[in-house]
Amino acid sequence: MPHPLTELPVRTVVRDGAVRPSDPAEHIVNADVCVLGAGIAGLSAAIESARLGHTVLLVDALPVLGGQMVNSLIGLFCGVYGNAPEHRRLTHGILDDILADLGASGDLFHRVGHTTTVGYDEVRLGRWVEDTVREHGIRVLTNASLTGVDRDGDRIEGLRVATRYGAVDVRAAGFVDASGDAALCWAAGLECRLPDREIYGSQQLVVEHLDESAAPEPGELAARVADKAERYGLRRKDGLAFYFPGRGTAVLNMTHIEAPLDPIAAAEAQMEGKAQADRVVEFLRAEFPEVFGKAAVRSYGLPGRRQTRWVAATHQLTVDEVRAGTRFPDAVARTAWPIELHDTPDGYVWETFAPDHLHYVPLRSMTPPAVGNLLAAGRCVDGDAAALSSVRVMGPCAAMGHAAAHALDLAGPDGSVHELDAAELTGRIRENVQD
């Protein structure tokens, strides 16, 4: 039965014009393609652009690559496979290489249920990311915070970032905003969407010294959390534990934290998330001592964010299109992932689909209408709140990054992504949109 959808209005906002850097920067970097954000969508766009023969600059505000995929300890590749009983593979490209390489080293495990998800060792994945970026000759700017965008009409000419080594001006022919928060689009003065109430993120953590042989079933764990949450001061009244077979470790996804765009509030949310995580560990040690009695925290992830601010693109994907499985002529990604809207502190909407269901992301949901050489990719593409909650997971995000690289390549250095031949693009990315 469909889950009754939580109504969550979204408003469209715009910054007062693009911010044009004035004083000369200490450093200037030129590239064919500039990708802002080094999570799964940005990495996919950067690697595919390099494979197409372009010079690529990959920019991220963190000191290391991998985005939330590595640094927030998400722990699972979701949305890569279809539903039972076929569990067909839906996304290829960068995920072919990740799954092959980490599978060969024993750093993956598959969880098969209504769909198939793939767990991974985040340390090994982080090294894979950096090795692969270097292998493809992609230049990298880390610890780089966006401070301004140079926009001339319908073209993004460049951007400026601040680093500890001075300001850097980046000039490129094409840009991909894979920042997660639509940071490039926002700084360029393009319209963006904001939800009318909080969509919660999670403070993930990895715990070790577990006896996974006694692990409770997921339903039992969730029921115990719901029953005892108030006693232990748990905000979220359900939770998930992903055990890595044979290693005595698990990734815990059992918290809800705010994901504000205000810098002071964001820092406070990070500290609150760890406090929530500590209470989760206390709960697990007391309630499941046979599994977690000796549990210790191995690492806390950076705050995980699901939906914060996203671009207002040429087409807003709707929840009705998701439920209907609308097949767009310009489809660039597909998934069967449920509607997963975390818009209440204690729980979330979880609406699954039938065995043969697929839904799609059109290129038009990645293209801001006012510019021709910029695409959004990942969790900041356009959709209503519920639709976006079903396509912001790593499978379709990787496919969006892959498509962004090909769209910029087809448009060329002076063309527009709004004028592409959809059939030509489909021919290049067929494995991510057709069987």
Side-chain angles (χ1 to χ4, degrees), residues 287-410:
E287 295 295 325
F288 298 97
E290 63 279 12
V291 185
F292 294 97
K294 299 179 180 179
V297 177
R298 186 175 80 182
S299 54
Y300 299 90
L302 297 182
R305 292 179 154 212
R306 292 185 173 91
Q307 296 166 242
T308 51
R309 177 179 59 210
W310 55 96
V311 69
T314 306
H315 177 84
Q316 183 182 49
L317 183 68
T318 70
V319 69
D320 289 339
E321 290 168 334
V322 167
R323 286 177 172 145
T326 302
R327 176 68 163 86
F328 304 98
D330 60 340
V332 296
R334 58 182 176 168
T335 188
W337 194 250
I339 294 170
E340 185 194 349
L341 185 58
H342 291 250
D343 66 331
T344 61
D346 57 347
Y348 58 100
V349 173
W350 181 254
E351 182 181 323
T352 58
F353 299 107
D356 59 348
H357 174 88
L358 294 175
H359 53 275
Y360 298 84
V361 178
L363 182 70
R364 287 165 295 149
S365 290
M366 299 170 56
T367 54
V371 290
N373 65 333
L374 166 66
L375 298 104
R379 65 181 177 90
C380 59
V381 301
D382 198 4
D384 64 36
L388 188 57
S389 79
S390 70
V391 299
R392 54 163 176 73
V393 291
M394 284 199 273
C397 285
M400 291 181 231
H402 183 90
H406 283 277
L408 289 174
D409 184 63
L410 286 170

Side-chain angles (χ1 to χ4, degrees), residues 13-54:
V13 294
V14 64
R15 186 173 177 172
D16 293 332
V19 178
R20 295 178 181 272
S22 53
D23 297 334
E26 288 90 336
H27 310 275
I28 298 175
V29 180
N30 294 285
D32 297 331
V33 176
C34 175
V35 180
L36 183 68
I40 186 68
L43 285 166
S44 181
I47 291 169
E48 192 64 15
S49 292
R51 288 173 174 168
L52 289 168
H54 298 293

Side-chain angles (χ1 to χ4, degrees), residues 123-145:
V123 176
R124 179 69 190 96
L125 179 59
R127 293 300 303 126
W128 183 94
V129 166
E130 295 189 349
D131 288 343
T132 303
V133 165
R134 296 179 69 188
E135 174 189 335
H136 286 83
I138 297 168
R139 289 177 294 171
V140 170
L141 272 176
T142 53
N143 267 325
S145 298

Side-chain angles (χ1 to χ4, degrees), residues 14-21 36 145-151 156 158-160 177 179 181-192 309 374:
V14 64
R15 186 173 177 172
D16 293 332
V19 178
R20 295 178 181 272
L36 183 68
S145 298
L146 181 67
T147 60
V149 172
D150 184 2
R151 174 184 165 195
I156 303 297
L159 54 83
R160 176 169 290 187
D177 187 344
S179 64
D181 303 318
L184 200 164
C185 294
W186 181 249
L190 302 174
E191 289 187 337
C192 293
R309 177 179 59 210
L374 166 66

Side-chain angles (χ1 to χ4, degrees), residues 255-279:
T255 63
H256 264 172
I257 59 173
E258 284 84 1
L261 295 171
D262 175 83
I264 297 296
E268 292 174 349
Q270 177 180 1
M271 293 185 285
E272 163 60 20
K274 289 180 180 177
Q276 284 190 39
D278 290 342
R279 294 194 291 272

